[in-house]
Amino acid sequence: MATRAEDLGGGEPPVMAAKAYQWPDAGGHFGPYGGMFVPETLMHPLTELRQAYARYLGDPDFLRELDADLRDYVGRPSPVYHAERWSRELGGAQLFLKREDLNHTGAHKVNNTIGQALLARRMGKTRIIAETGAGQHGVASATVAARLGLECVVYMGEVDVARQEANVYRMRLLGAEVVAVKSGTRTLKDALNEAMRDWVTNVDNTFYIIGTVAGPHPYPAMVRDFQSVIGREARGQMIEQTGRLPDVVMACVGGGSNAIGLFYPFIEDPEVAMIGVEAAGDGLETGRHAAPLCAGEPGVLHGNRTYLMEDANGQIRETHSVSAGLDYPGVGPEHAWLKDSGRASYVAVTDDEALAAFHGLTRTEGIIPALETSHALAQASKLAPTMRKDQSILINLSGRGDKDMQTVARLEGLQL
Amino acid sequence: MSRIQRRFEQLRAAGRTALIPFVTAGDPTPELTLALMHRMVSAGADLIELGVPFSDPIADGPVIQRATERALAQGISLRDVLAIVRRFRETDNETPVVLMGYLNPIEVMGGEVFAQAAREAGMDGALIVDVPPEESHALVDAVKAQGLDLVYLLAPTSDAARIEAIAEVASGFVYYVSVKGVTGAGHLDVDEVSSKLDAIRARIELPVGVGFGINTAATAAQVARVADAVIVGSAIVGRIEALAEEGQVERIPAVVGDFLGELRAAIDETDHGDQHG
């Protein structure tokens, strides 16, 4: 296997060219998933966005600007860290962590908000809007808005505003207006509905930064492209550090942007298994979870066809997860396609398993992970002991856990 | 000829503009919706749009969102909505009924099952808000195989190519969204609407209804001058909400009927004036 690195051109990240994997199609479909299921009022803004994105994706000047910001403002490349103590403790495969937690603002979200905000500026938009659940995407949007001098409005469910006070304050410090959404379940999905309504109404000067690989075309492809810097870097870093590709790449999946960002550059490496980890909440059998790929059915929500959590009448169901960032009843359409096509597999871990992994990594490696990320860590700790010591698992450490101190302390009966 | 086509031909022959009220089915109760539909017809409604409640109505403003939540709180499903239409047909075989809703509840039922059940219930057409022509092939086939009309939205931002794409698949009538925004938004500019309707009529032969910002008799009359149909939703649903909150549910048909009567009179005056002026 040591020859792999030479085959692949040493430690350099291979250029993504002439790919056989060509999804989405021109209409934004990934197999039967994705698409543009939106009211006619949104077709024009989506067309305008699609054209602008296609234009700037091939514009060297735009890409230079993006690369410079990712380097100097976000702090990329983020390292890949060999978690040796944790690997030894599990006694199987070697575990490697892609450290997205070290990015500016503490998670992978900013890779995407930087890209979309620079696009917004090129399109002459002066106002950006965003939806947020836990507040991480809202903070990442408010951050880039502050830097570029753009007006920023963040929609957040009333329930989430109450339970994520620190992030609400952070967004306001950054100059964003946070609007508490009072409709529906008053959580992330309703924030997304409200942001779309704002966009329809203010389309002339407004750019909608969606935070995950969901929504209507071109969002799933565009957010994937901005996030795939994660996998491009990690692919080269693994080859450099181990002389070969990882046997498994693994990430948590809510909407699925950090997972797609890691997976996409490995799609055409059939020897690399891809595993997405959803939130099983109290357990899939209880119905109180946020695992549409593992326990949902295909349907249409937020502009795309994908796996959903819905009731027998097609109404979207409330979700449950200890991690607010995974608390979403849909999932990016490309994940739905990767599941059906068999290229990736998806599993779910419970709140309790995720919490155990949260404490485990913190004590073993001195890294406090986000609760979302802890779902991937929990699955890795189940899988690693079944593998050989010369095999490897690359996990996307998508965010840091500072934001979760209150939640974890409360679960242990403490008030901070 | 479909019931919708027949209705628009009658109106055209009489030189009248259609009045189309929208209500959310099951708001505040299914029984009331049925009574309300009959009352709206006697007050001058030419066609009824019946909203199918969906948990995530992205095209709707706060008034219709709340109506949706009231209906969903009682567990109203797509099958329940069709049951209301079936009961309506027991005594009204003339007034067309169009369902307005979102795709997911229909997908769960299955496109063909839905289309057959809808025809059997006596429904005449469907406007599925989140299905643009690009995504509607299978559904178009299923719905048209049952002889139902598919109504589409057109927006101020729809260009010539989109209007033509919609002309390919639409039947019955088309629904022009008069403002950039969600249902219940304000600031309808009749001159702007008028020039857009010219562009639409150059490419679509179907009658054109206008809605999304019509909340008074005066606006209805202005729109009637340029449109084939005046569509009123949030202004009606807002009245339903106010009465439901005051515990005066039984007064809803009368109050909504009186409001539609005002709109009807204002529209008739415009139609009459146009004929003679």
Side-chain angles (χ1 to χ4, degrees):
Chain A
M1 288 306 283
T3 56
R4 283 286 319 208
E6 289 149 26
D7 295 348
L8 292 162
E12 288 302 306
V15 176
M16 302 278 296
K19 288 175 70 80
Y21 181 91
Q22 292 283 359
W23 302 102
D25 69 14
H29 302 99
F30 301 87
Y33 302 105
M36 277 184 285
F37 292 90
V38 294
E40 179 62 22
T41 44
L42 271 174
M43 289 306 289
H44 174 75
L46 286 171
T47 303
E48 188 185 68
L49 175 61
R50 209 166 58 241
Q51 288 166 348
Y53 180 57
R55 175 176 158 204
Y56 290 114
L57 189 62
D59 178 347
D61 190 43
F62 176 78
L63 296 174
R64 247 194 319 275
E65 188 180 19
L66 176 61
D67 281 349
D69 269 5
L70 290 175
R71 186 185 65 229
D72 304 332
Y73 189 67
V74 177
R76 304 206 69 91
S78 65
V80 163
Y81 168 71
H82 182 194
E84 287 184 73
R85 241 189 117 214
W86 189 34
S87 305
R88 219 167 27 245
E89 194 177 283
L90 293 172
Q94 302 306 304
L95 298 151
F96 290 83
L97 305 175
K98 177 62 173 166
R99 299 291 307 276
E100 293 299 298
D101 60 320
L102 296 177
N103 292 341
H104 180 42
T105 71
H108 71 290
K109 291 288 184 190
V110 72
N111 300 328
N112 169 50
T113 58
I114 285 266
Q116 290 198 49
L118 290 176
L119 189 57
R121 191 167 68 175
R122 297 267 172 162
M123 291 172 74
K125 307 289 184 184
T126 55
R127 177 175 180 267
I128 63 172
I129 56 173
E131 84 293 338
T132 198
Q136 292 306 103
H137 174 58
V139 168
S141 298
T143 298
V144 299
R147 174 160 179 279
L148 297 178
L150 301 168
E151 184 188 348
C152 180
V153 177
V154 178
Y155 290 94
M156 191 169 184
E158 196 178 41
V159 171
D160 292 328
V161 168
R163 64 185 176 189
Q164 304 288 338
E165 277 174 86
N167 269 342
V168 172
Y169 183 60
R170 201 169 295 163
M171 287 182 266
R172 288 183 175 145
L173 278 177
L174 288 159
E177 180 192 347
V178 179
V179 178
V181 176
K182 296 177 170 61
S183 58
T185 58
R186 305 172 188 215
T187 57
L188 175 58
K189 76 174 180 69
D190 309 286
L192 211 151
N193 294 337
E194 205 56 38
M196 286 209 188
R197 293 179 187 121
D198 179 315
W199 197 30
V200 166
T201 309
N202 300 299
V203 58
D204 293 336
N205 71 343
T206 298
F207 188 105
Y208 178 19
I209 302 187
I210 293 188
T212 190
V213 285
H217 181 57
Y219 283 102
M222 180 172 69
V223 176
R224 172 196 72 192
D225 292 347
F226 286 136
Q227 289 294 1
S228 61
V229 65
I230 300 170
R232 277 200 308 278
E233 286 176 4
R235 198 173 185 286
Q237 289 164 319
M238 285 302 289
I239 292 167
E240 199 175 289
Q241 291 185 31
T242 69
R244 52 188 286 263
L245 294 174
D247 296 282
V248 177
V249 292
M250 193 179 282
C252 63
V253 177
S257 70
N258 94 80
I260 281 288
L262 178 65
F263 292 177
Y264 186 58
F266 291 98
I267 278 184
E268 297 198 329
D269 298 311
E271 68 273 38
V272 179
M274 310 196 305
I275 301 174
V277 186
E278 294 191 294
D282 290 344
L284 293 182
E285 70 288 351
T286 66
R288 284 174 51 75
H289 58 81
L293 288 167
C294 294
E297 300 93 39
V300 173
L301 176 69
H302 292 153
N304 68 98
R305 179 175 279 117
T306 187
Y307 280 85
L308 297 178
M309 287 182 54
E310 60 186 7
D311 68 16
N313 294 323
Q315 307 297 345
I316 306 308
R317 276 175 45 201
E318 220 167 318
T319 52
H320 172 83
S321 169
V322 68
S323 98
L326 302 183
D327 220 345
Y328 178 66
V331 63
E334 191 161 15
H335 286 295
W337 174 235
L338 291 174
K339 172 191 157 81
D340 281 13
S341 66
R343 179 61 189 93
S345 55
Y346 295 87
V347 296
V349 308
T350 63
D351 286 355
D352 289 347
E353 291 171 315
L355 281 162
F358 171 92
H359 290 294
L361 191 78
T362 301
R363 291 292 180 90
T364 316
E365 296 287 351
I367 297 172
I368 302 179
L371 284 175
E372 290 79 7
T373 311
S374 300
H375 288 72
L377 300 170
Q379 182 60 26
S381 64
K382 288 188 208 175
L383 181 64
T386 70
M387 294 168 65
R388 295 192 317 270
K389 286 182 180 163
D390 63 344
Q391 293 183 302
S392 62
I393 303 175
L394 170 64
I395 304 147
N396 195 2
L397 200 80
S398 53
R400 67 179 185 221
D402 306 47
K403 70 181 176 62
D404 296 315
M405 292 298 100
Q406 296 274 5
T407 307
V408 175
R410 209 176 302 133
L411 288 169
E412 299 189 332
L414 300 172
Q415 273 290 328
L416 295 187
Chain B
M1 189 185 291
S2 76
R3 207 160 5 215
I4 296 173
Q5 283 175 291
R6 196 157 61 232
R7 177 50 51 100
F8 275 104
E9 295 221 343
Q10 290 163 353
L11 288 162
R12 193 185 336 225
R16 300 183 76 203
T17 304
L19 173 60
I20 304 182
F22 166 96
V23 294
T24 299
D27 169 34
T29 68
E31 291 66 34
L32 191 107
T33 301
L34 181 63
L36 185 56
M37 288 169 77
H38 288 303
R39 181 70 184 84
M40 292 194 298
V41 172
S42 62
D46 297 295
L47 186 155
I48 292 174
E49 264 188 13
L50 206 50
V52 181
F54 179 52
S55 52
D56 294 82
I58 56 172
D60 287 303
V63 172
I64 292 176
Q65 286 173 49
R66 288 196 297 269
T68 294
E69 286 174 16
R70 284 193 296 273
L72 285 178
Q74 306 183 63
I76 302 295
S77 69
L78 178 52
R79 286 179 196 281
D80 296 329
V81 179
L82 294 178
I84 295 173
V85 177
R86 191 178 305 114
R87 287 171 64 197
F88 176 75
R89 282 280 168 258
E90 287 168 7
T91 50
D92 186 330
N93 205 27
E94 293 299 315
T95 310
V97 178
V98 170
L99 290 201
M100 185 163 176
Y102 295 80
L103 180 57
N104 204 50
I106 293 173
E107 284 237 324
V108 165
M109 191 188 257
E112 287 181 24
V113 175
F114 161 74
Q116 190 177 345
R119 181 184 55 75
E120 284 167 7
M123 194 189 88
D124 302 290
L127 194 177
I128 306 156
V129 176
D130 53 352
V131 181
E134 290 86 343
E135 302 284 2
S136 57
H137 314 296
L139 197 63
V140 169
D141 293 346
V143 168
K144 294 206 165 159
Q146 296 293 334
L148 303 174
D149 286 316
L150 264 189
V151 178
Y152 284 83
L153 295 176
L154 282 165
T157 50
S158 305
D159 59 17
R162 291 210 58 77
I163 295 172
E164 278 160 20
I166 284 163
E168 293 273 308
V169 286
S171 60
F173 67 103
V174 292
Y175 183 147
Y176 178 64
V177 174
S178 55
V179 290
K180 283 182 192 159
V182 292
T183 51
H187 318 303
L188 181 149
D189 180 330
V190 178
D191 291 338
E192 240 178 74
V193 170
S194 176
S195 70
K196 191 71 187 185
L197 291 198
D198 290 342
I200 292 170
R201 289 202 173 101
R203 294 171 180 89
I204 291 184
E205 288 180 11
L206 299 171
V208 185
V210 172
F212 267 51
I214 301 168
N215 45 25
T216 63
T219 328
Q222 286 179 321
V223 171
R225 231 174 273 140
V226 295
D228 299 304
V230 174
I231 306 170
V232 182
S234 296
I236 294 171
V237 175
R239 284 168 166 78
I240 294 174
E241 176 170 58
L243 291 166
E245 278 175 1
E246 289 162 20
Q248 304 196 44
V249 170
E250 71 291 344
R251 285 188 56 218
I252 288 172
V255 170
V256 171
D258 289 350
F259 176 56
L260 281 186
E262 283 172 39
L263 299 180
R264 180 77 263 172
I267 292 168
D268 285 347
E269 205 168 307
T270 301
D271 290 344
H272 191 73
D274 283 355
Q275 268 175 6
H276 296 90

